Amino acid sequence: MPVVGARFAMPACRVCSQSIAPFISLGRMPVANAFLRREAFADEFFFNLAVAFCPACGMVQLTEQVDRDRLFHPDYAYFSSLSAGMVRHFTSYAEQVLREHASGDDPFIVEIGSNDGIACRHFSAAGVRHLGVDPSENVCAVARAKGVQTLCRFFDEEAGSDIRRDFGPADLIVSANVITHVPDLHTLVRGVCNLLSERGVFVIEEPYLGSIVSNTAYDQFYAEHGYYFSLLALTSLFARHELEVVDLSAQPTHGGSMRYVVARRGQRAVSQAVEDLRARERESGLHQHATYEAFAGRILHSRDALRSLLGELKRANRRVTGYGATAKSTTVTNFCGLGPDDIEYICDTTPGKQGTFSPGMHIPVVAPDGFHARYPDHAVLFAWNHCAEIVAKEQGFRAAGGSFIEYVPSVGLMSWDRDGLAAPSPTGPATRDS
Ligand code: TMP
Ligand code: ZN
């Protein structure tokens, strides 16, 4: 029998403890990255995916949180370095943080959630003292093989103190696409406070709530992402720990991310960019419940539109597959009720995902060879955040008369000549280049 439910039911905001109510419920959902073999179907784990906005502190969060041991384990399937776009992004990211925040004498850099060393290897190559921290043994082993000093552990309050004791204070702590995964943000931030030097900075980069809302990118909602950050909510969280956001910049990753530079209160000047975004968030209503109710309406509309498009294509006997067995695809396929009858298979370059089935809906995951050997008529672009990279290399699909189906920011057959490869904008249209 499937196990239903999560270990922690969550009646209150996990940041400020005020009561919250979901603005959208996406129903029964498996863990997004839990691609599985046929033998595991009977024991698959499900929870209720619902998202709430806390009117008291502004944090958007899942109402039910899955035990982290179910999410991140020795076989964690995600390797950052498999995407060329991400490799490029993290190369420039590492160069920039080294230049801007680690120019002092013998700086020490800690990365929380160092994955396969995609960023840390640049710190290592530059001869800078560094430590990557990650809870999944398989990605740690890959990072170590690249010369990255890596500690296999969840980063929390105690880890922050232990690292300071063993290595000294950190001048720079970085984390990208990580803090959204952490169940208790306060213990992570206390760990940062324990480890950070007096003038040090904490640089974080996360998918930006403003982009998720404006793009109707509801597929960012999944078990591994417990929080969806705005500047307003982060300001409130950090204020509880005597920290403040002192600078920020929009990034193109994950369809629109934000990089925040955080320092101890009063240690650094606050840039104009911070003031500007705070004003823009107020103007766009990210602090108001009504904004999320309208967003929920758009999510339901998007689901209906995708179902109806796939239904039409099926009636017209078109072959439809999926492209990119992303965590996002798990939310879309389960929420929209799309199984192997609707999507023949999903192709993906990650060796560990090939030969498995998608969580919940059990769509087979195959290597891209299957796609290239016999192109379908259409492929749902689940890896839409890597659109430019994929379009560039799938010109054979185009030549065969195929087309991608997009659903962010709206549902339809994607034009091969679309000019949607837009520059990043925190509140503008979806960005599709990494
Ligand atoms: P992400 O959206 O979390 O970065 O995951 C991207 C997924 O898409 C990952 O499983 C790898 C897969 N992928 C492909 O299969 N082909 C590609 O060309 C790219 C860029 C990604
Ligand atoms: Zn709250």
Side-chain angles (χ1 to χ4, degrees):
M1 279 294 288
V3 186
V4 178
R7 210 171 115 191
F8 305 111
M10 211 272 313
C13 172
R14 288 196 301 278
V15 172
C16 75
S17 306
Q18 298 295 305
S19 60
I20 49 172
F23 61 84
I24 183 82
S25 181
L26 295 112
R28 182 174 172 273
M29 198 59 69
V31 169
N33 265 314
F35 290 85
L36 71 174
R37 308 253 161 212
R38 199 183 289 281
E39 312 81 83
F41 286 178
D43 294 324
E44 199 168 8
F45 170 83
F46 291 90
F47 74 110
N48 291 310
L49 179 64
V51 194
F53 162 72
C54 174
C57 75
M59 191 64 80
V60 170
Q61 57 201 284
L62 301 189
T63 55
E64 208 176 284
Q65 192 158 26
V66 176
D67 187 345
R68 68 184 180 182
D69 293 334
R70 286 191 182 276
L71 305 182
F72 308 105
H73 42 72
D75 304 321
Y76 185 47
Y78 187 77
F79 285 84
S80 304
S81 299
L82 286 172
S83 154
M86 291 308 262
V87 169
R88 266 197 310 278
H89 174 77
F90 281 106
T91 300
S92 85
Y93 163 87
E95 285 165 358
Q96 190 177 351
V97 294
L98 275 173
R99 198 170 55 239
E100 291 180 6
H101 305 295
S103 53
D105 199 21
D106 189 25
F108 175 45
I109 308 180
V110 173
E111 181 173 23
I112 304 173
S114 43
N115 195 267
D116 56 9
I118 189 168
C120 262
R121 70 189 172 94
H122 297 284
F123 308 146
S124 169
V128 173
R129 280 197 303 132
H130 67 276
L131 181 69
V133 187
D134 200 287
S136 292
E137 191 51 65
N138 62 341
V139 293
C140 287
V142 174
R144 287 191 190 109
K146 294 176 186 164
V148 173
Q149 177 162 231
T150 309
L151 180 67
C152 186
R153 178 171 180 180
F154 279 105
F155 185 89
D156 55 13
E157 196 170 349
E158 212 187 336
S161 310
D162 290 351
I163 295 168
R164 188 184 188 114
R165 183 196 60 218
D166 296 340
F167 298 86
D171 304 287
L172 171 63
I173 303 176
V174 296
S175 90
N177 308 310
V178 168
I179 72 167
T180 178
H181 298 311
V182 173
D184 181 355
L185 286 175
H186 291 301
T187 175
L188 176 127
V189 179
R190 279 196 290 267
V192 167
C193 291
N194 290 346
L195 176 59
L196 198 65
S197 70
E198 209 42 38
R199 290 266 301 153
V201 291
F202 176 35
V203 177
I204 58 172
E205 186 171 309
E206 294 288 336
Y208 179 56
L209 177 66
S211 304
I212 294 173
V213 172
S214 64
N215 294 329
T216 315
Y218 70 88
D219 59 353
Q220 295 283 356
F221 296 147
Y222 52 83
E224 291 89 330
H225 285 176
Y227 304 91
Y228 308 89
F229 301 108
S230 62
L231 170 63
L232 291 171
L234 283 175
T235 300
S236 162
L237 167 70
F238 287 131
R240 291 164 181 263
H241 299 271
E242 310 276 307
L243 298 172
E244 62 183 349
V245 177
V246 295
D247 199 12
L248 54 82
S249 55
Q251 303 295 325
T253 43
H254 297 291
S257 297
M258 197 63 71
R259 185 179 299 167
Y260 303 90
V261 180
V262 181
R264 293 188 193 274
R265 188 148 56 205
Q267 286 289 343
R268 305 265 173 167
V270 177
S271 77
Q272 188 59 40
V274 176
E275 305 301 345
D276 291 349
L277 185 63
R278 198 165 279 146
R280 282 212 302 281
E281 288 192 352
R282 289 228 162 78
E283 272 162 33
S284 56
L286 284 185
H287 61 308
Q288 287 164 333
H289 205 271
T291 302
Y292 300 94
E293 281 172 4
F295 176 33
R298 294 197 303 278
I299 294 173
L300 297 173
H301 180 264
S302 172
R303 176 188 64 182
D304 296 345
L306 184 59
R307 276 177 170 169
S308 115
L309 173 61
L310 293 182
E312 255 174 58
L313 295 173
K314 199 193 301 191
R315 283 192 294 281
N317 290 320
R318 300 290 177 85
R319 276 183 67 222
V320 176
T321 68
Y323 198 105
T326 53
K328 297 185 282 294
S329 72
T330 297
T331 296
V332 176
T333 53
N334 284 274
F335 177 55
C336 300
L338 305 173
D341 285 348
D342 310 288
I343 294 172
E344 197 177 303
Y345 62 75
I346 306 176
C347 70
D348 195 285
T349 49
T350 314
K353 290 182 185 174
Q354 295 161 4
T356 65
F357 293 84
S358 73
M361 298 311 292
H362 302 163
I363 301 168
V365 180
V366 306
D369 310 359
F371 178 76
H372 295 134
R374 195 163 76 90
Y375 286 119
D377 296 301
H378 307 284
V380 182
L381 189 55
F382 291 121
W384 55 265
N385 49 316
H386 301 286
C387 180
E389 183 175 341
I390 292 168
V391 163
K393 72 181 176 194
E394 296 300 355
Q395 289 297 314
F397 181 37
R398 177 185 197 168
S403 62
F404 285 112
I405 294 169
E406 62 181 345
Y407 57 91
V408 168
S410 53
V411 171
L413 295 181
M414 197 177 93
S415 156
W416 283 97
D417 300 317
R418 66 165 301 135
D419 54 0
L421 314 176
S425 156
T427 47
T431 59
R432 298 164 172 278
D433 46 356
S434 50

